Amino acid sequence: MTTLTEPRPSLSSFWHDLPRDGKLLLSVVVFEFLGTGLVLPFHVVYLHEVRGFALSDVGLLLGLPPLVGFLVVGPGGAAIDRLGARRILLASLGLLIAGDVLLAFSSTLLLAGTALVMSGVAFGVSWPASQSFIAAVVPTHLRQRYFGVNFTLLNLGIGIGGLVGGVVVDVDHLATFQAIYLADALSYLPPVFLLLVPLAGVAGRPVHDHDEHPAATYLGVLRRPAVASLMLLGFLASFVGYSQLNVGMPAYARAVGEVSTRALGLAFAANTAVIVVLQLVVLRRIEGLRRTRVIGVMGLIWAASWMLLGGSGLVSGTVGATILVAACASVFALGETLMQPTIPALVNDLAPDHLRGRYNALSSAAFQLAAIIAPPVSGVLIGHHLGSVWIGSLVVGSVLVGVYAVARLEPQLTPEVNGVRVPAPAR
C-alpha cells in the first residue's frame, strides 16, 4: 500500500530547497530581461524612422536573427555537449553585448545587418545553453517550478523595460535610442559576472565516457523514445501559439478588427500582466500533475483565445473589438503559464546528461522553425481576406496540440518524466 497523495509543495519550500547556484541564476533574470524590454518594441521604429532605412530593408534585417539562429542551433547543441553549457553561454552573452553596441551606432545597412547576425547567432545557442545549464544546477524535482518562476521574472523584466523604453525614446533624438541599446548591452553583465565568478565551477567541460556514451548524432537522438514526438509537439505549439501571437495576432487585429496601435500595446501589456500575476499560482496548481494533461488544457485555452480574436472581426472598429483583442492576449497568457514550466521540464527530464545540449537544441530548433514558417502563412491568409480561415485553423490546431500531447506523447513517457510524483511507501 502507499500513502495518500502528498500535498503540493509551496513556493517558499521551492526557494528553500533550491540550491544556491539556482538562486543566483534567478537573482539576475529581471535585470537581464529589463534590457530586452527596453529595445524589443522599438526595432522597427529605430531602423526605419530614426536610421532612415527603407521599410522593406528593415523587414529583411529583422528576419536575419531567427534565420541565423535556426542555422546555428544544431552545431550549438553539439558544442554544448562537447564544451559545456557555461562556455557557450559566456560566448553568446559576449555576442549579445557586441551586437547591441554595434547596433547602437549602425548608420549603414551593412553595420546593422552585421549586428543582427551577431545577435542571431547568440540567440540561436543561448536558449539550449541556458536550459542545459539550468538542468545542471537545478534538481529534477524542482525544474518545473524553476522554469515557471524564471518565466515570471523574465516577463516582469520585459514589461518594466517596455514601459521605461516608451518613456525614454524620442524619434527626433538618436541618442535616446542609442541609450536603450547600450543599456541592453549592460543588462547582460550581471549574468556574465555570475558565470565567471560564483558559478565558474558549474557545468564546465563535460566528462564523457566514450565506451558508455558513444558519439551521438541528431538523427540518433530523434530515434530515442518520445524525443521525436516531443519535438513535434513543440513545433505545433509554437506554430499555433507564440509565432501567431507575435505576428499574426497584431496583423489580424489591425486589418480585420481595426483596433488602434495603442490598443495593441494594451493587449500585450495585459498578456504580460496575466503571466506575472498568475504564473506562481498556476505552478502550485499543476505540481504533481501529468505534464501532458496540463498541455492538453493549454490547447483548449489557446483555442478559446483565438475564438476571442475572431470575435473582434465581427465588431471591427469598435470598443468591443479592442476588448476582445485584449481578452485574446490575456487568455493566451494563461495558456503560456501552463506551457512554459512543462515543455522545458519534459525536455530536460527526458535528456541524459551527455546529450542535454542536443535535446535542448532540437527543442529550440522546433520552436524557431515554426517562427520562420508561421508569419508568411498568417500574412498570406490575412492579406487575402481569409482571416476566418486563419482563425479556424488556429482553433483546430490548438485543440489538436492538446490531443496529440495526451494521445501520442503521454504513452511514451514514464510517470516520473511526465511530472507525476511517486508517493512514498507507507511504513
Side-chain angles (χ1 to χ4, degrees), residues 62 66 238-255 264 268 306 309 332 370-380 382-383 390 394:
L62 295 181
S238 178
F239 186 85
V240 302
Y242 283 111
S243 301
Q244 304 295 350
L245 182 75
N246 294 331
V247 179
M249 189 275 275
Y252 184 92
R254 290 286 290 157
L264 271 180
F268 279 101
W306 295 128
L309 181 63
F332 187 92
I372 293 171
I373 296 174
V377 172
S378 59
V380 168
I382 296 170
W390 179 72
L394 294 186

PDB file of all heavy atoms in Angstrom, residues 62 66 238-255 264 268 306 309 332 370-380 382-383 390 394:
ATOM      1  N   LEU A  62      15.336  42.372 -39.902  1.00  0.00           N
ATOM      2  CA  LEU A  62      14.768  41.731 -38.715  1.00  0.00           C
ATOM      3  C   LEU A  62      14.462  40.259 -38.947  1.00  0.00           C
ATOM      4  O   LEU A  62      14.192  39.525 -37.989  1.00  0.00           O
ATOM      5  CB  LEU A  62      13.508  42.490 -38.282  1.00  0.00           C
ATOM      6  CG  LEU A  62      13.753  43.920 -37.803  1.00  0.00           C
ATOM      7  CD1 LEU A  62      12.459  44.576 -37.378  1.00  0.00           C
ATOM      8  CD2 LEU A  62      14.757  43.948 -36.652  1.00  0.00           C
ATOM      9  N   PRO A  66      16.232  35.341 -36.503  1.00  0.00           N
ATOM     10  CA  PRO A  66      15.658  33.996 -36.395  1.00  0.00           C
ATOM     11  C   PRO A  66      16.220  33.016 -37.412  1.00  0.00           C
ATOM     12  O   PRO A  66      16.398  31.833 -37.118  1.00  0.00           O
ATOM     13  CB  PRO A  66      14.155  34.231 -36.624  1.00  0.00           C
ATOM     14  CG  PRO A  66      14.055  35.548 -37.310  1.00  0.00           C
ATOM     15  CD  PRO A  66      15.198  36.350 -36.809  1.00  0.00           C
ATOM     16  N   SER A 238       4.357  25.950 -30.958  1.00  0.00           N
ATOM     17  CA  SER A 238       4.914  27.235 -31.387  1.00  0.00           C
ATOM     18  C   SER A 238       4.175  27.776 -32.598  1.00  0.00           C
ATOM     19  O   SER A 238       3.899  28.973 -32.691  1.00  0.00           O
ATOM     20  CB  SER A 238       6.401  27.076 -31.707  1.00  0.00           C
ATOM     21  OG  SER A 238       6.949  28.303 -32.166  1.00  0.00           O
ATOM     22  N   PHE A 239       3.803  26.883 -33.509  1.00  0.00           N
ATOM     23  CA  PHE A 239       3.156  27.328 -34.749  1.00  0.00           C
ATOM     24  C   PHE A 239       1.782  27.934 -34.484  1.00  0.00           C
ATOM     25  O   PHE A 239       1.411  28.960 -35.058  1.00  0.00           O
ATOM     26  CB  PHE A 239       3.027  26.160 -35.733  1.00  0.00           C
ATOM     27  CG  PHE A 239       2.505  26.567 -37.080  1.00  0.00           C
ATOM     28  CD1 PHE A 239       3.363  27.046 -38.051  1.00  0.00           C
ATOM     29  CD2 PHE A 239       1.145  26.501 -37.373  1.00  0.00           C
ATOM     30  CE1 PHE A 239       2.887  27.444 -39.294  1.00  0.00           C
ATOM     31  CE2 PHE A 239       0.652  26.890 -38.606  1.00  0.00           C
ATOM     32  CZ  PHE A 239       1.532  27.367 -39.571  1.00  0.00           C
ATOM     33  N   VAL A 240       0.991  27.305 -33.624  1.00  0.00           N
ATOM     34  CA  VAL A 240      -0.350  27.831 -33.342  1.00  0.00           C
ATOM     35  C   VAL A 240      -0.337  28.787 -32.162  1.00  0.00           C
ATOM     36  O   VAL A 240      -1.369  29.371 -31.832  1.00  0.00           O
ATOM     37  CB  VAL A 240      -1.361  26.695 -33.060  1.00  0.00           C
ATOM     38  CG1 VAL A 240      -1.434  25.743 -34.236  1.00  0.00           C
ATOM     39  CG2 VAL A 240      -1.025  25.948 -31.774  1.00  0.00           C
ATOM     40  N   GLY A 241       0.844  28.943 -31.524  1.00  0.00           N
ATOM     41  CA  GLY A 241       0.926  29.761 -30.331  1.00  0.00           C
ATOM     42  C   GLY A 241       1.744  31.022 -30.501  1.00  0.00           C
ATOM     43  O   GLY A 241       1.312  32.003 -31.107  1.00  0.00           O
ATOM     44  N   TYR A 242       2.970  30.988 -29.992  1.00  0.00           N
ATOM     45  CA  TYR A 242       3.797  32.194 -29.953  1.00  0.00           C
ATOM     46  C   TYR A 242       3.999  32.826 -31.321  1.00  0.00           C
ATOM     47  O   TYR A 242       3.956  34.047 -31.466  1.00  0.00           O
ATOM     48  CB  TYR A 242       5.169  31.859 -29.353  1.00  0.00           C
ATOM     49  CG  TYR A 242       5.145  31.726 -27.859  1.00  0.00           C
ATOM     50  CD1 TYR A 242       5.333  30.493 -27.256  1.00  0.00           C
ATOM     51  CD2 TYR A 242       4.929  32.830 -27.042  1.00  0.00           C
ATOM     52  CE1 TYR A 242       5.299  30.351 -25.882  1.00  0.00           C
ATOM     53  CE2 TYR A 242       4.889  32.699 -25.669  1.00  0.00           C
ATOM     54  CZ  TYR A 242       5.079  31.460 -25.096  1.00  0.00           C
ATOM     55  OH  TYR A 242       5.039  31.332 -23.742  1.00  0.00           O
ATOM     56  N   SER A 243       4.238  32.007 -32.320  1.00  0.00           N
ATOM     57  CA  SER A 243       4.536  32.551 -33.640  1.00  0.00           C
ATOM     58  C   SER A 243       3.365  33.352 -34.186  1.00  0.00           C
ATOM     59  O   SER A 243       3.551  34.329 -34.919  1.00  0.00           O
ATOM     60  CB  SER A 243       4.888  31.411 -34.604  1.00  0.00           C
ATOM     61  OG  SER A 243       5.999  30.683 -34.124  1.00  0.00           O
ATOM     62  N   GLN A 244       2.155  32.958 -33.825  1.00  0.00           N
ATOM     63  CA  GLN A 244       0.969  33.676 -34.284  1.00  0.00           C
ATOM     64  C   GLN A 244       0.668  34.880 -33.390  1.00  0.00           C
ATOM     65  O   GLN A 244       0.202  35.912 -33.872  1.00  0.00           O
ATOM     66  CB  GLN A 244      -0.234  32.732 -34.319  1.00  0.00           C
ATOM     67  CG  GLN A 244      -0.031  31.483 -35.160  1.00  0.00           C
ATOM     68  CD  GLN A 244       0.142  31.789 -36.642  1.00  0.00           C
ATOM     69  OE1 GLN A 244      -0.070  32.904 -37.096  1.00  0.00           O
ATOM     70  NE2 GLN A 244       0.532  30.785 -37.418  1.00  0.00           N
ATOM     71  N   LEU A 245       0.919  34.755 -32.104  1.00  0.00           N
ATOM     72  CA  LEU A 245       0.671  35.875 -31.199  1.00  0.00           C
ATOM     73  C   LEU A 245       1.545  37.064 -31.554  1.00  0.00           C
ATOM     74  O   LEU A 245       1.098  38.214 -31.514  1.00  0.00           O
ATOM     75  CB  LEU A 245       0.937  35.451 -29.751  1.00  0.00           C
ATOM     76  CG  LEU A 245       0.673  36.536 -28.702  1.00  0.00           C
ATOM     77  CD1 LEU A 245      -0.818  36.728 -28.493  1.00  0.00           C
ATOM     78  CD2 LEU A 245       1.359  36.203 -27.383  1.00  0.00           C
ATOM     79  N   ASN A 246       2.794  36.814 -31.903  1.00  0.00           N
ATOM     80  CA  ASN A 246       3.737  37.897 -32.154  1.00  0.00           C
ATOM     81  C   ASN A 246       3.559  38.550 -33.516  1.00  0.00           C
ATOM     82  O   ASN A 246       3.932  39.713 -33.696  1.00  0.00           O
ATOM     83  CB  ASN A 246       5.170  37.369 -32.027  1.00  0.00           C
ATOM     84  CG  ASN A 246       5.495  36.953 -30.605  1.00  0.00           C
ATOM     85  OD1 ASN A 246       4.946  37.500 -29.657  1.00  0.00           O
ATOM     86  ND2 ASN A 246       6.381  35.977 -30.454  1.00  0.00           N
ATOM     87  N   VAL A 247       3.026  37.813 -34.496  1.00  0.00           N
ATOM     88  CA  VAL A 247       2.919  38.349 -35.858  1.00  0.00           C
ATOM     89  C   VAL A 247       1.469  38.350 -36.345  1.00  0.00           C
ATOM     90  O   VAL A 247       0.923  39.379 -36.727  1.00  0.00           O
ATOM     91  CB  VAL A 247       3.801  37.538 -36.833  1.00  0.00           C
ATOM     92  CG1 VAL A 247       3.653  38.087 -38.255  1.00  0.00           C
ATOM     93  CG2 VAL A 247       5.261  37.587 -36.402  1.00  0.00           C
ATOM     94  N   GLY A 248       0.836  37.188 -36.339  1.00  0.00           N
ATOM     95  CA  GLY A 248      -0.500  37.072 -36.881  1.00  0.00           C
ATOM     96  C   GLY A 248      -1.540  37.848 -36.095  1.00  0.00           C
ATOM     97  O   GLY A 248      -2.442  38.480 -36.684  1.00  0.00           O
ATOM     98  N   MET A 249      -1.487  37.794 -34.780  1.00  0.00           N
ATOM     99  CA  MET A 249      -2.478  38.488 -33.959  1.00  0.00           C
ATOM    100  C   MET A 249      -2.491  39.989 -34.209  1.00  0.00           C
ATOM    101  O   MET A 249      -3.564  40.575 -34.449  1.00  0.00           O
ATOM    102  CB  MET A 249      -2.271  38.174 -32.478  1.00  0.00           C
ATOM    103  CG  MET A 249      -3.401  38.692 -31.592  1.00  0.00           C
ATOM    104  SD  MET A 249      -3.214  40.428 -31.088  1.00  0.00           S
ATOM    105  CE  MET A 249      -2.165  40.230 -29.660  1.00  0.00           C
ATOM    106  N   PRO A 250      -1.322  40.682 -34.182  1.00  0.00           N
ATOM    107  CA  PRO A 250      -1.355  42.113 -34.493  1.00  0.00           C
ATOM    108  C   PRO A 250      -1.866  42.398 -35.907  1.00  0.00           C
ATOM    109  O   PRO A 250      -2.598  43.370 -36.121  1.00  0.00           O
ATOM    110  CB  PRO A 250       0.105  42.541 -34.336  1.00  0.00           C
ATOM    111  CG  PRO A 250       0.716  41.519 -33.453  1.00  0.00           C
ATOM    112  CD  PRO A 250       0.017  40.242 -33.770  1.00  0.00           C
ATOM    113  N   ALA A 251      -1.474  41.557 -36.873  1.00  0.00           N
ATOM    114  CA  ALA A 251      -1.922  41.774 -38.249  1.00  0.00           C
ATOM    115  C   ALA A 251      -3.442  41.636 -38.353  1.00  0.00           C
ATOM    116  O   ALA A 251      -4.115  42.456 -38.988  1.00  0.00           O
ATOM    117  CB  ALA A 251      -1.234  40.788 -39.187  1.00  0.00           C
ATOM    118  N   TYR A 252      -4.006  40.598 -37.730  1.00  0.00           N
ATOM    119  CA  TYR A 252      -5.450  40.394 -37.767  1.00  0.00           C
ATOM    120  C   TYR A 252      -6.169  41.515 -37.018  1.00  0.00           C
ATOM    121  O   TYR A 252      -7.192  42.044 -37.489  1.00  0.00           O
ATOM    122  CB  TYR A 252      -5.801  39.048 -37.141  1.00  0.00           C
ATOM    123  CG  TYR A 252      -7.274  38.695 -37.224  1.00  0.00           C
ATOM    124  CD1 TYR A 252      -7.771  37.960 -38.288  1.00  0.00           C
ATOM    125  CD2 TYR A 252      -8.157  39.098 -36.226  1.00  0.00           C
ATOM    126  CE1 TYR A 252      -9.122  37.640 -38.374  1.00  0.00           C
ATOM    127  CE2 TYR A 252      -9.506  38.782 -36.293  1.00  0.00           C
ATOM    128  CZ  TYR A 252      -9.983  38.056 -37.368  1.00  0.00           C
ATOM    129  OH  TYR A 252     -11.327  37.741 -37.445  1.00  0.00           O
ATOM    130  N   ALA A 253      -5.644  41.880 -35.853  1.00  0.00           N
ATOM    131  CA  ALA A 253      -6.286  42.918 -35.046  1.00  0.00           C
ATOM    132  C   ALA A 253      -6.350  44.246 -35.796  1.00  0.00           C
ATOM    133  O   ALA A 253      -7.335  44.980 -35.702  1.00  0.00           O
ATOM    134  CB  ALA A 253      -5.544  43.082 -33.726  1.00  0.00           C
ATOM    135  N   ARG A 254      -5.295  44.557 -36.542  1.00  0.00           N
ATOM    136  CA  ARG A 254      -5.266  45.825 -37.280  1.00  0.00           C
ATOM    137  C   ARG A 254      -6.098  45.750 -38.564  1.00  0.00           C
ATOM    138  O   ARG A 254      -6.895  46.634 -38.850  1.00  0.00           O
ATOM    139  CB  ARG A 254      -3.816  46.180 -37.630  1.00  0.00           C
ATOM    140  CG  ARG A 254      -2.969  46.583 -36.444  1.00  0.00           C
ATOM    141  CD  ARG A 254      -3.306  47.966 -35.934  1.00  0.00           C
ATOM    142  NE  ARG A 254      -2.864  48.998 -36.885  1.00  0.00           N
ATOM    143  CZ  ARG A 254      -3.380  50.207 -36.934  1.00  0.00           C
ATOM    144  NH1 ARG A 254      -4.371  50.547 -36.130  1.00  0.00           N
ATOM    145  NH2 ARG A 254      -2.920  51.106 -37.803  1.00  0.00           N
ATOM    146  N   ALA A 255      -5.902  44.668 -39.343  1.00  0.00           N
ATOM    147  CA  ALA A 255      -6.550  44.591 -40.659  1.00  0.00           C
ATOM    148  C   ALA A 255      -8.019  44.211 -40.579  1.00  0.00           C
ATOM    149  O   ALA A 255      -8.839  44.706 -41.360  1.00  0.00           O
ATOM    150  CB  ALA A 255      -5.800  43.589 -41.543  1.00  0.00           C
ATOM    151  N   LEU A 264      -3.316  47.712 -29.297  1.00  0.00           N
ATOM    152  CA  LEU A 264      -2.402  46.564 -29.386  1.00  0.00           C
ATOM    153  C   LEU A 264      -1.391  46.583 -28.243  1.00  0.00           C
ATOM    154  O   LEU A 264      -1.088  45.554 -27.637  1.00  0.00           O
ATOM    155  CB  LEU A 264      -1.662  46.589 -30.719  1.00  0.00           C
ATOM    156  CG  LEU A 264      -2.318  45.880 -31.907  1.00  0.00           C
ATOM    157  CD1 LEU A 264      -1.453  46.013 -33.131  1.00  0.00           C
ATOM    158  CD2 LEU A 264      -2.571  44.422 -31.585  1.00  0.00           C
ATOM    159  N   PHE A 268      -0.804  43.596 -25.331  1.00  0.00           N
ATOM    160  CA  PHE A 268       0.441  42.928 -24.952  1.00  0.00           C
ATOM    161  C   PHE A 268       0.802  43.219 -23.497  1.00  0.00           C
ATOM    162  O   PHE A 268       1.377  42.371 -22.807  1.00  0.00           O
ATOM    163  CB  PHE A 268       1.571  43.345 -25.892  1.00  0.00           C
ATOM    164  CG  PHE A 268       1.577  42.588 -27.189  1.00  0.00           C
ATOM    165  CD1 PHE A 268       1.063  43.143 -28.350  1.00  0.00           C
ATOM    166  CD2 PHE A 268       2.063  41.296 -27.255  1.00  0.00           C
ATOM    167  CE1 PHE A 268       1.044  42.440 -29.546  1.00  0.00           C
ATOM    168  CE2 PHE A 268       2.063  40.572 -28.426  1.00  0.00           C
ATOM    169  CZ  PHE A 268       1.545  41.142 -29.584  1.00  0.00           C
ATOM    170  N   TRP A 306      -8.095  32.239 -29.451  1.00  0.00           N
ATOM    171  CA  TRP A 306      -8.208  32.568 -30.877  1.00  0.00           C
ATOM    172  C   TRP A 306      -9.654  32.836 -31.275  1.00  0.00           C
ATOM    173  O   TRP A 306      -9.928  33.657 -32.165  1.00  0.00           O
ATOM    174  CB  TRP A 306      -7.615  31.447 -31.728  1.00  0.00           C
ATOM    175  CG  TRP A 306      -6.138  31.274 -31.551  1.00  0.00           C
ATOM    176  CD1 TRP A 306      -5.469  30.124 -31.252  1.00  0.00           C
ATOM    177  CD2 TRP A 306      -5.129  32.294 -31.633  1.00  0.00           C
ATOM    178  NE1 TRP A 306      -4.116  30.349 -31.143  1.00  0.00           N
ATOM    179  CE2 TRP A 306      -3.881  31.679 -31.372  1.00  0.00           C
ATOM    180  CE3 TRP A 306      -5.159  33.658 -31.891  1.00  0.00           C
ATOM    181  CZ2 TRP A 306      -2.677  32.375 -31.379  1.00  0.00           C
ATOM    182  CZ3 TRP A 306      -3.957  34.366 -31.885  1.00  0.00           C
ATOM    183  CH2 TRP A 306      -2.735  33.728 -31.630  1.00  0.00           C
ATOM    184  N   LEU A 309     -10.249  36.390 -30.475  1.00  0.00           N
ATOM    185  CA  LEU A 309      -9.691  37.260 -31.507  1.00  0.00           C
ATOM    186  C   LEU A 309     -10.590  37.277 -32.737  1.00  0.00           C
ATOM    187  O   LEU A 309     -10.831  38.339 -33.331  1.00  0.00           O
ATOM    188  CB  LEU A 309      -8.284  36.787 -31.892  1.00  0.00           C
ATOM    189  CG  LEU A 309      -7.576  37.630 -32.962  1.00  0.00           C
ATOM    190  CD1 LEU A 309      -7.342  39.053 -32.466  1.00  0.00           C
ATOM    191  CD2 LEU A 309      -6.253  36.983 -33.374  1.00  0.00           C
ATOM    192  N   PHE A 332      -4.662  33.912 -23.749  1.00  0.00           N
ATOM    193  CA  PHE A 332      -3.472  33.229 -24.292  1.00  0.00           C
ATOM    194  C   PHE A 332      -2.387  33.146 -23.226  1.00  0.00           C
ATOM    195  O   PHE A 332      -1.686  32.138 -23.112  1.00  0.00           O
ATOM    196  CB  PHE A 332      -2.959  33.979 -25.514  1.00  0.00           C
ATOM    197  CG  PHE A 332      -1.857  33.270 -26.244  1.00  0.00           C
ATOM    198  CD1 PHE A 332      -2.139  32.407 -27.298  1.00  0.00           C
ATOM    199  CD2 PHE A 332      -0.525  33.437 -25.877  1.00  0.00           C
ATOM    200  CE1 PHE A 332      -1.129  31.732 -27.959  1.00  0.00           C
ATOM    201  CE2 PHE A 332       0.490  32.775 -26.534  1.00  0.00           C
ATOM    202  CZ  PHE A 332       0.188  31.910 -27.582  1.00  0.00           C
ATOM    203  N   ALA A 370       9.079  26.948 -36.472  1.00  0.00           N
ATOM    204  CA  ALA A 370       7.697  27.434 -36.512  1.00  0.00           C
ATOM    205  C   ALA A 370       7.656  28.951 -36.638  1.00  0.00           C
ATOM    206  O   ALA A 370       6.804  29.505 -37.341  1.00  0.00           O
ATOM    207  CB  ALA A 370       6.955  26.987 -35.249  1.00  0.00           C
ATOM    208  N   ALA A 371       8.595  29.625 -35.955  1.00  0.00           N
ATOM    209  CA  ALA A 371       8.638  31.089 -36.019  1.00  0.00           C
ATOM    210  C   ALA A 371       9.002  31.587 -37.413  1.00  0.00           C
ATOM    211  O   ALA A 371       8.642  32.712 -37.788  1.00  0.00           O
ATOM    212  CB  ALA A 371       9.633  31.627 -34.993  1.00  0.00           C
ATOM    213  N   ILE A 372       9.716  30.780 -38.179  1.00  0.00           N
ATOM    214  CA  ILE A 372      10.068  31.156 -39.547  1.00  0.00           C
ATOM    215  C   ILE A 372       8.899  30.903 -40.500  1.00  0.00           C
ATOM    216  O   ILE A 372       8.612  31.699 -41.394  1.00  0.00           O
ATOM    217  CB  ILE A 372      11.314  30.370 -40.005  1.00  0.00           C
ATOM    218  CG1 ILE A 372      12.550  30.814 -39.187  1.00  0.00           C
ATOM    219  CG2 ILE A 372      11.575  30.583 -41.492  1.00  0.00           C
ATOM    220  CD1 ILE A 372      13.765  29.942 -39.415  1.00  0.00           C
ATOM    221  N   ILE A 373       8.186  29.793 -40.301  1.00  0.00           N
ATOM    222  CA  ILE A 373       7.120  29.396 -41.221  1.00  0.00           C
ATOM    223  C   ILE A 373       5.822  30.154 -40.958  1.00  0.00           C
ATOM    224  O   ILE A 373       5.108  30.545 -41.897  1.00  0.00           O
ATOM    225  CB  ILE A 373       6.870  27.878 -41.112  1.00  0.00           C
ATOM    226  CG1 ILE A 373       8.117  27.106 -41.559  1.00  0.00           C
ATOM    227  CG2 ILE A 373       5.670  27.458 -41.954  1.00  0.00           C
ATOM    228  CD1 ILE A 373       8.012  25.610 -41.339  1.00  0.00           C
ATOM    229  N   ALA A 374       5.489  30.380 -39.711  1.00  0.00           N
ATOM    230  CA  ALA A 374       4.170  30.921 -39.355  1.00  0.00           C
ATOM    231  C   ALA A 374       3.890  32.313 -39.917  1.00  0.00           C
ATOM    232  O   ALA A 374       2.777  32.551 -40.408  1.00  0.00           O
ATOM    233  CB  ALA A 374       4.004  30.910 -37.838  1.00  0.00           C
ATOM    234  N   PRO A 375       4.827  33.284 -39.839  1.00  0.00           N
ATOM    235  CA  PRO A 375       4.493  34.623 -40.337  1.00  0.00           C
ATOM    236  C   PRO A 375       4.060  34.674 -41.798  1.00  0.00           C
ATOM    237  O   PRO A 375       3.064  35.343 -42.115  1.00  0.00           O
ATOM    238  CB  PRO A 375       5.789  35.416 -40.084  1.00  0.00           C
ATOM    239  CG  PRO A 375       6.425  34.729 -38.928  1.00  0.00           C
ATOM    240  CD  PRO A 375       6.131  33.276 -39.146  1.00  0.00           C
ATOM    241  N   PRO A 376       4.751  33.990 -42.725  1.00  0.00           N
ATOM    242  CA  PRO A 376       4.260  34.019 -44.110  1.00  0.00           C
ATOM    243  C   PRO A 376       2.865  33.415 -44.259  1.00  0.00           C
ATOM    244  O   PRO A 376       2.055  33.903 -45.054  1.00  0.00           O
ATOM    245  CB  PRO A 376       5.302  33.199 -44.878  1.00  0.00           C
ATOM    246  CG  PRO A 376       6.533  33.248 -44.042  1.00  0.00           C
ATOM    247  CD  PRO A 376       6.049  33.286 -42.637  1.00  0.00           C
ATOM    248  N   VAL A 377       2.585  32.351 -43.493  1.00  0.00           N
ATOM    249  CA  VAL A 377       1.263  31.717 -43.581  1.00  0.00           C
ATOM    250  C   VAL A 377       0.176  32.686 -43.134  1.00  0.00           C
ATOM    251  O   VAL A 377      -0.835  32.882 -43.825  1.00  0.00           O
ATOM    252  CB  VAL A 377       1.227  30.428 -42.735  1.00  0.00           C
ATOM    253  CG1 VAL A 377      -0.201  29.874 -42.673  1.00  0.00           C
ATOM    254  CG2 VAL A 377       2.172  29.387 -43.307  1.00  0.00           C
ATOM    255  N   SER A 378       0.386  33.312 -41.969  1.00  0.00           N
ATOM    256  CA  SER A 378      -0.618  34.256 -41.476  1.00  0.00           C
ATOM    257  C   SER A 378      -0.722  35.457 -42.397  1.00  0.00           C
ATOM    258  O   SER A 378      -1.823  35.976 -42.646  1.00  0.00           O
ATOM    259  CB  SER A 378      -0.277  34.703 -40.052  1.00  0.00           C
ATOM    260  OG  SER A 378       0.990  35.320 -39.986  1.00  0.00           O
ATOM    261  N   GLY A 379       0.418  35.911 -42.929  1.00  0.00           N
ATOM    262  CA  GLY A 379       0.408  37.062 -43.820  1.00  0.00           C
ATOM    263  C   GLY A 379      -0.389  36.794 -45.088  1.00  0.00           C
ATOM    264  O   GLY A 379      -1.170  37.641 -45.534  1.00  0.00           O
ATOM    265  N   VAL A 380      -0.214  35.618 -45.674  1.00  0.00           N
ATOM    266  CA  VAL A 380      -0.933  35.275 -46.903  1.00  0.00           C
ATOM    267  C   VAL A 380      -2.433  35.178 -46.640  1.00  0.00           C
ATOM    268  O   VAL A 380      -3.256  35.741 -47.378  1.00  0.00           O
ATOM    269  CB  VAL A 380      -0.401  33.952 -47.489  1.00  0.00           C
ATOM    270  CG1 VAL A 380      -1.331  33.440 -48.581  1.00  0.00           C
ATOM    271  CG2 VAL A 380       1.007  34.152 -48.043  1.00  0.00           C
ATOM    272  N   ILE A 382      -4.326  36.370 -44.060  1.00  0.00           N
ATOM    273  CA  ILE A 382      -4.949  37.633 -43.653  1.00  0.00           C
ATOM    274  C   ILE A 382      -4.898  38.636 -44.804  1.00  0.00           C
ATOM    275  O   ILE A 382      -5.864  39.370 -45.051  1.00  0.00           O
ATOM    276  CB  ILE A 382      -4.261  38.192 -42.391  1.00  0.00           C
ATOM    277  CG1 ILE A 382      -4.466  37.225 -41.219  1.00  0.00           C
ATOM    278  CG2 ILE A 382      -4.816  39.569 -42.032  1.00  0.00           C
ATOM    279  CD1 ILE A 382      -3.637  37.559 -39.995  1.00  0.00           C
ATOM    280  N   GLY A 383      -3.782  38.653 -45.536  1.00  0.00           N
ATOM    281  CA  GLY A 383      -3.643  39.581 -46.656  1.00  0.00           C
ATOM    282  C   GLY A 383      -4.594  39.306 -47.789  1.00  0.00           C
ATOM    283  O   GLY A 383      -4.925  40.214 -48.566  1.00  0.00           O
ATOM    284  N   TRP A 390      -7.880  31.589 -41.255  1.00  0.00           N
ATOM    285  CA  TRP A 390      -6.721  31.618 -40.348  1.00  0.00           C
ATOM    286  C   TRP A 390      -7.159  31.354 -38.914  1.00  0.00           C
ATOM    287  O   TRP A 390      -6.557  30.515 -38.223  1.00  0.00           O
ATOM    288  CB  TRP A 390      -6.030  32.987 -40.460  1.00  0.00           C
ATOM    289  CG  TRP A 390      -4.856  33.157 -39.574  1.00  0.00           C
ATOM    290  CD1 TRP A 390      -3.618  32.568 -39.702  1.00  0.00           C
ATOM    291  CD2 TRP A 390      -4.771  33.982 -38.408  1.00  0.00           C
ATOM    292  NE1 TRP A 390      -2.778  32.975 -38.698  1.00  0.00           N
ATOM    293  CE2 TRP A 390      -3.463  33.845 -37.889  1.00  0.00           C
ATOM    294  CE3 TRP A 390      -5.669  34.827 -37.773  1.00  0.00           C
ATOM    295  CZ2 TRP A 390      -3.033  34.531 -36.747  1.00  0.00           C
ATOM    296  CZ3 TRP A 390      -5.264  35.507 -36.629  1.00  0.00           C
ATOM    297  CH2 TRP A 390      -3.948  35.359 -36.128  1.00  0.00           C
ATOM    298  N   LEU A 394      -6.267  27.974 -36.480  1.00  0.00           N
ATOM    299  CA  LEU A 394      -5.612  28.080 -35.177  1.00  0.00           C
ATOM    300  C   LEU A 394      -6.443  27.431 -34.076  1.00  0.00           C
ATOM    301  O   LEU A 394      -5.895  26.806 -33.160  1.00  0.00           O
ATOM    302  CB  LEU A 394      -5.345  29.549 -34.827  1.00  0.00           C
ATOM    303  CG  LEU A 394      -4.346  30.283 -35.708  1.00  0.00           C
ATOM    304  CD1 LEU A 394      -4.083  31.686 -35.159  1.00  0.00           C
ATOM    305  CD2 LEU A 394      -3.032  29.519 -35.818  1.00  0.00           C
TER     306      LEU A 394
END
